[in-house]
Amino acid sequence: GVEARKAGEPVIVLEAGGGARLETWQPIFNDIAKIAPVIAYDRLGLGESAADPKTPTLTRNVETLHDVLHAIAPPPYLLVGHSLGGVIIRGFAHQFPKEVVGMAYLDVPDFEATREERASVLSGESRERALQPPVMPEIPADTPAKLRPVYEQLLIEIRDDFPSARRWRQPPEIPVAVVVTARADRLRGDGGAMVRLQIKHQMEWTLASPNSLFTIAGHSGHGVHHDDPALVVAMIRHVHDRSRK
């Protein structure tokens, strides 16, 4: 719908999670396109896109998204990010706040939590483990060459507690919608403490913004746009209807 866009109408931008292709948005794409013009894409190294000629850092992801959007449609943008995509849209909004009129975060990792903060809500051996550098998984040997740098950089971000993202700030005075998934399997063991910490941090994103929405989805797994497409569409519609025109 970009070609039929009205002057000043926000474009909805869908930023997928780590390793996910644009097809991840199929359950909601058509319904989102009924709300406003919508753009989804494969980040460099993913899907049909070529390898990134530079190191695919989060800052690089933000700059590339900015270039892609300006090649397709000028601002304003309503940003939607799932998982790692939510971290990327936070960086975009931090760097280009005047171009963003609303944000929807779909089960974004708790990139604001430090190692010490996670340890503080645990006890015993769990607390000691939380204070140590995390053990990163091996990247599968059959990972495509263009995708390997993407995974390598993601593991560095996780290992180092997302150092760049924790400095990024959300623009004030824009509507925001946040969903944290809390299905029973996420709450087992130390998971419940981590989910509560995520809720504590991410609820602030909505409390700091007018006309915002915070949802805990106890029925959904991490892929909330697959498990409950209607909920995600309603969240995006909520932000769109309250965004600056």
Side-chain angles (χ1 to χ4, degrees), residues 55-61 84 139 147-160 162 164:
T55 303
T57 63
L58 289 176
T59 299
R60 167 72 173 161
N61 294 153
L84 184 70
I139 299 174
L147 187 55
R148 181 168 289 273
V150 174
Y151 286 159
E152 290 174 344
Q153 192 60 36
L154 175 57
L155 292 177
I156 290 171
E157 291 287 345
I158 295 172
R159 182 198 68 194
D160 296 343
F162 293 94
S164 56

Coordinates of all heavy atoms in Angstrom, one line a residue, residues 55-61 84 139 147-160 162 164:
T55 N 30.5 -5.7 9.3 CA 30.1 -6.5 10.5 C 28.7 -6.2 10.9 O 28.4 -5.0 11.1 CB 31.1 -6.2 11.7 OG1 32.4 -6.5 11.3 CG2 30.7 -7.0 12.9
P56 N 27.8 -7.2 11.0 CA 26.4 -6.9 11.3 C 26.1 -6.6 12.7 O 25.3 -7.3 13.4 CB 25.7 -8.2 10.8 CG 26.7 -9.2 11.0 CD 28.0 -8.6 10.8
T57 N 26.6 -5.5 13.2 CA 26.3 -5.1 14.6 C 24.9 -4.5 14.7 O 24.2 -4.2 13.6 CB 27.3 -4.0 15.1 OG1 27.1 -2.8 14.2 CG2 28.7 -4.4 15.0
L58 N 24.4 -4.3 15.9 CA 23.0 -3.7 16.0 C 23.0 -2.3 15.4 O 22.0 -1.9 14.8 CB 22.6 -3.7 17.5 CG 22.3 -5.1 18.1 CD1 22.0 -4.9 19.6 CD2 21.1 -5.7 17.4
T59 N 24.0 -1.6 15.7 CA 24.1 -0.2 15.1 C 24.1 -0.3 13.6 O 23.4 0.5 12.9 CB 25.3 0.5 15.6 OG1 25.3 0.6 17.0 CG2 25.4 1.9 15.0
R60 N 24.8 -1.2 13.0 CA 24.8 -1.4 11.6 C 23.4 -1.8 11.1 O 22.9 -1.3 10.1 CB 25.8 -2.5 11.2 CG 25.7 -3.1 9.8 CD 26.2 -2.1 8.7 NE 26.2 -2.8 7.4 CZ 26.2 -2.1 6.3 NH1 26.2 -0.8 6.3 NH2 26.3 -2.8 5.2
N61 N 22.7 -2.7 11.8 CA 21.3 -3.0 11.5 C 20.4 -1.8 11.4 O 19.6 -1.7 10.5 CB 20.7 -4.0 12.5 CG 21.4 -5.4 12.5 OD1 21.4 -6.1 13.5 ND2 21.9 -5.8 11.4
L84 N 14.7 -9.9 18.8 CA 15.8 -9.0 18.5 C 15.4 -7.8 17.7 O 16.0 -6.7 17.8 CB 16.9 -9.8 17.8 CG 18.2 -9.0 17.5 CD1 18.9 -8.7 18.8 CD2 19.1 -9.7 16.5
I139 N 27.6 -22.4 17.0 CA 26.9 -22.1 15.8 C 26.9 -23.4 15.0 O 28.0 -24.0 14.7 CB 27.4 -20.9 15.0 CG1 27.4 -19.7 15.9 CG2 26.7 -20.8 13.7 CD1 28.0 -18.5 15.2
L147 N 25.0 -16.2 6.8 CA 24.3 -16.1 8.1 C 25.2 -16.2 9.3 O 24.9 -15.7 10.4 CB 23.2 -17.1 8.1 CG 22.2 -17.1 9.3 CD1 21.5 -15.7 9.4 CD2 21.2 -18.2 9.1
R148 N 26.4 -16.8 9.2 CA 27.3 -17.1 10.3 C 27.7 -15.8 11.0 O 27.6 -15.7 12.2 CB 28.5 -17.9 9.8 CG 29.5 -18.2 11.0 CD 30.5 -19.2 10.5 NE 29.9 -20.5 10.4 CZ 29.8 -21.4 11.3 NH1 30.2 -21.1 12.6 NH2 29.2 -22.5 11.1
P149 N 28.1 -14.7 10.3 CA 28.4 -13.4 10.9 C 27.3 -12.8 11.7 O 27.5 -12.2 12.8 CB 28.9 -12.5 9.8 CG 29.2 -13.4 8.7 CD 28.3 -14.6 8.8
V150 N 26.1 -13.0 11.3 CA 24.9 -12.5 12.0 C 24.8 -13.2 13.4 O 24.6 -12.6 14.4 CB 23.6 -12.8 11.2 CG1 22.4 -12.4 12.0 CG2 23.7 -12.0 9.8
Y151 N 24.9 -14.5 13.4 CA 24.8 -15.3 14.6 C 26.0 -15.0 15.5 O 25.9 -14.9 16.8 CB 24.8 -16.8 14.3 CG 23.4 -17.3 13.8 CD1 23.3 -18.5 13.1 CD2 22.3 -16.5 14.0 CE1 22.1 -18.9 12.6 CE2 21.0 -16.9 13.5 CZ 21.0 -18.1 12.8 OH 19.8 -18.6 12.3
E152 N 27.2 -14.8 14.9 CA 28.4 -14.5 15.7 C 28.2 -13.2 16.5 O 28.5 -13.1 17.7 CB 29.6 -14.5 14.8 CG 30.0 -15.8 14.3 CD 31.2 -15.7 13.3 OE1 31.4 -14.6 12.8 OE2 31.8 -16.8 13.0
Q153 N 27.7 -12.2 15.8 CA 27.5 -10.9 16.4 C 26.4 -10.9 17.4 O 26.5 -10.3 18.5 CB 27.2 -9.8 15.3 CG 27.2 -8.4 15.8 CD 28.6 -8.1 16.3 OE1 29.6 -8.5 15.8 NE2 28.7 -7.2 17.4
L154 N 25.3 -11.7 17.2 CA 24.3 -11.8 18.2 C 24.8 -12.5 19.5 O 24.4 -12.0 20.6 CB 23.1 -12.7 17.6 CG 22.0 -13.0 18.6 CD1 21.3 -11.7 19.2 CD2 20.9 -13.8 17.9
L155 N 25.6 -13.5 19.4 CA 26.2 -14.1 20.5 C 27.1 -13.2 21.3 O 27.1 -13.2 22.6 CB 27.0 -15.4 20.1 CG 26.1 -16.5 19.6 CD1 27.0 -17.7 19.2 CD2 25.1 -17.0 20.6
I156 N 27.8 -12.3 20.6 CA 28.6 -11.3 21.3 C 27.7 -10.3 22.1 O 28.0 -10.0 23.2 CB 29.4 -10.5 20.3 CG1 30.5 -11.5 19.7 CG2 30.1 -9.3 20.9 CD1 31.3 -10.9 18.6
E157 N 26.6 -9.9 21.5 CA 25.7 -9.0 22.2 C 25.1 -9.6 23.5 O 25.1 -9.0 24.5 CB 24.5 -8.6 21.2 CG 24.9 -7.7 20.1 CD 25.2 -6.3 20.5 OE1 24.9 -5.9 21.6 OE2 25.8 -5.6 19.7
I158 N 24.7 -10.9 23.4 CA 24.2 -11.6 24.5 C 25.2 -11.7 25.6 O 25.0 -11.5 26.8 CB 23.6 -12.9 24.1 CG1 22.4 -12.8 23.2 CG2 23.2 -13.8 25.3 CD1 21.9 -14.0 22.5
R159 N 26.4 -12.2 25.2 CA 27.5 -12.4 26.1 C 27.8 -11.1 26.9 O 28.1 -11.1 28.1 CB 28.7 -12.8 25.4 CG 30.0 -13.1 26.2 CD 31.2 -13.2 25.4 NE 31.6 -11.9 24.8 CZ 32.4 -11.6 23.9 NH1 33.1 -12.7 23.3 NH2 32.7 -10.4 23.5
D160 N 27.8 -10.0 26.2 CA 28.2 -8.7 26.8 C 27.1 -7.8 27.3 O 27.2 -6.7 27.6 CB 29.0 -7.9 25.8 CG 30.3 -8.5 25.4 OD1 30.8 -9.5 26.1 OD2 30.9 -8.2 24.3
F162 N 24.3 -6.7 25.8 CA 23.8 -5.7 24.9 C 24.3 -4.3 25.2 O 23.5 -3.4 25.5 CB 22.2 -5.7 24.9 CG 21.6 -6.9 24.3 CD1 21.2 -8.0 25.1 CD2 21.4 -7.0 23.0 CE1 20.7 -9.1 24.6 CE2 20.8 -8.2 22.4 CZ 20.4 -9.2 23.3
S164 N 25.4 -1.7 23.6 CA 25.0 -0.5 22.8 C 23.5 -0.3 23.1 O 23.0 0.9 23.3 CB 25.2 -0.7 21.3 OG 24.6 -1.9 20.8

